Amino acid sequence: MEAKKAIASRYSVRAYKKDQIAEEKLETILAAGSAAPVGMGRYDSLHVTVIQDEEIRKRISEGIRQIFNTESDALYGGSTLVLVSSKEEVPAPGIDYTNAACVAENMMLAGADIGIGSVLVWGIALAVEADKSLKEALSIPEGFKAMIGTVFGYAANAEQKEKDLKVKIQMNRI
Ligand SMILES: Cc1cc2nc3c(=O)[nH]c(=O)nc-3n(C[C@H](O)[C@H](O)[C@H](O)COP(=O)(O)O)c2cc1C
């Protein structure tokens, strides 16, 4: 699939099949994350955690429920979570989130390319940061902060139609 098609095919999947994603597909997604642009090439300032343990997944879902006071599974039944963390000390403000977002988007586009749905869920990182024992259980290295969590899995519903690639974010040209 060409890049344009992967971009047009990616959408936020909010219902997943129970099946775990195939290992080779996960490897492709993770490798795509590591190919993302990262400020000053400091790949060592990032850490990626793959979460497939059902108990941990439940703790994260429960943590999000508590933070946002909601009932439903904020992870939409997705079987694999990928959490990008960053060193807390970075050379310039905002680089941590920017790096993590580049990695997350590369992974989600790679997923779209190979038939794996995804959604970025803001509460994942919040839930991890809010619970010290959960963060420890995830073995996130000392000095790193959870930044962006994504859910991956097979979409439960039929594929959405590809997006029209047209400008919709407000902009100006000078
Ligand atoms: C920073 C950020 C936070 C998001 N948080 C959530 C979230 O917590 N839950 C969710 O279902 N979707 C979340 N999304 C997905 C957006 O709602 C979605 O990308 C947007 O509505 C566009 O739809 P699309 O991804 O289907 O193109 C988030 C996206 C971003 C970039």
Side-chain angles (χ1 to χ4, degrees):
M1 192 190 281
E2 54 189 289
K4 230 157 77 174
K5 194 167 163 61
I7 291 168
S9 311
R10 189 215 55 81
Y11 65 96
S12 293
V13 172
R14 296 194 173 90
Y16 292 90
K17 292 182 181 163
K18 283 203 180 319
D19 325 24
Q20 190 51 268
I21 63 178
E23 188 57 29
E24 73 271 15
K25 291 194 185 251
L26 178 59
E27 292 293 332
T28 300
I29 288 167
L30 297 173
S34 283
V38 164
M40 300 164 85
R42 294 275 309 274
Y43 291 89
D44 64 334
S45 69
L46 294 171
H47 180 84
V48 170
T49 312
V50 178
I51 303 158
Q52 294 182 315
D53 181 275
E54 187 49 27
E55 276 312 303
I56 299 270
R57 208 200 75 90
K58 277 193 193 142
R59 282 177 69 183
I60 293 173
S61 177
E62 181 52 36
I64 300 173
R65 260 200 287 267
Q66 282 176 15
I67 291 167
F68 293 108
N69 200 17
T70 49
E71 296 279 301
S72 56
D73 175 21
L75 307 175
Y76 307 108
S79 53
T80 295
L81 312 185
V82 181
L83 175 65
V84 184
S85 302
S86 168
K87 271 190 184 160
E88 293 188 64
E89 280 182 33
V90 284
I95 282 200
D96 43 5
Y97 275 110
T98 310
N99 285 339
C102 287
V103 172
E105 175 66 347
N106 252 30
M107 292 193 293
M108 292 193 288
L109 287 176
D113 187 35
I114 55 174
I116 300 293
S118 64
V119 60
L120 192 160
V121 174
W122 195 245
I124 296 175
L126 294 183
V128 170
E129 283 300 315
D131 182 342
K132 201 163 175 279
S133 73
L134 175 58
K135 192 171 176 184
E136 273 169 18
L138 290 171
S139 301
I140 294 173
E142 194 63 36
F144 281 67
K145 183 178 177 202
M147 293 275 132
I148 295 185
T150 41
V151 177
F152 289 92
Y154 297 103
N157 303 316
E159 268 181 43
Q160 282 198 353
K161 141 170 156 349
E162 280 178 30
K163 291 175 186 171
D164 283 337
L165 293 183
K166 59 179 186 211
V167 171
K168 66 176 181 187
I169 296 177
Q170 58 171 317
M171 65 170 66
N172 67 334
R173 296 168 62 141
I174 298 170

